[in-house]
Amino acid sequence: MELVFALVIGALTASGVYLLLRARTFPVVVGLTLLSYGVNLFLFSSGRLATGQQPVIGTASSYTDPLPQALVLTAIVIGFAMTAFVVVLSLRSLADNDDDHVDGKKPYRSPAPEEEEEVNGK
């Protein structure tokens, strides 16, 4: 169980970082979301993975730590607010620049053959 959980955390983190390095805004937003999911799962796993145990001390012989659960709930709320802000920011950038490139610059495109003929005077 721990190995599968660790692989899922690693896959989410790796794909999130990969998407963060893209040049378009939508993959960056998805990468931030995947990275936050990976961090949430890591925080949750830091409280010992246990099924069927109570998060209250003293009511059972074994218990699970409630602090990582509280941290994950807080991180989910903050992650949702961050995602909403980044989406609005990227929509504003798209409206201002007519392109969704992260740096605001349009990528270089070679001129079409018709444009080359007009430039060369042919």
Side-chain angles (χ1 to χ4, degrees):
M1 176 70 178
E2 287 86 7
L3 179 64
V4 173
F5 210 73
L7 288 174
V8 168
I9 291 172
L12 283 172
T13 304
S15 58
V17 168
Y18 175 76
L19 288 173
L20 275 175
L21 299 174
R22 309 304 322 154
R24 302 282 181 188
T25 55
F26 182 71
V28 170
V29 172
V30 173
L32 278 173
T33 305
L34 289 178
L35 192 60
S36 69
Y37 289 163
V39 169
N40 288 345
L41 287 177
F42 176 73
L43 286 175
F44 191 70
S45 68
S46 68
R48 286 185 258 132
L49 294 175
T51 57
Q53 292 184 357
Q54 297 178 0
V56 181
I57 300 173
T59 59
S61 60
S62 63
Y63 63 92
T64 183
D65 191 11
L67 182 63
Q69 296 173 11
L71 288 174
V72 167
L73 284 174
T74 305
I76 288 171
V77 172
I78 292 171
F80 179 73
M82 178 194 63
T83 303
F85 177 72
V86 170
V87 166
V88 169
L89 195 65
S90 65
L91 288 175
R92 176 63 189 245
S93 174
L94 177 65
D96 288 347
N97 298 325
D98 295 329
D99 193 25
D100 66 341
H101 240 258
V102 174
D103 59 1
K105 298 177 184 175
K106 294 186 179 183
Y108 175 74
R109 293 190 181 115
S110 61
E114 303 88 35
E115 293 175 3
E116 286 181 8
E117 291 176 6
E118 293 175 5
V119 171
N120 294 334
K122 294 182 183 177

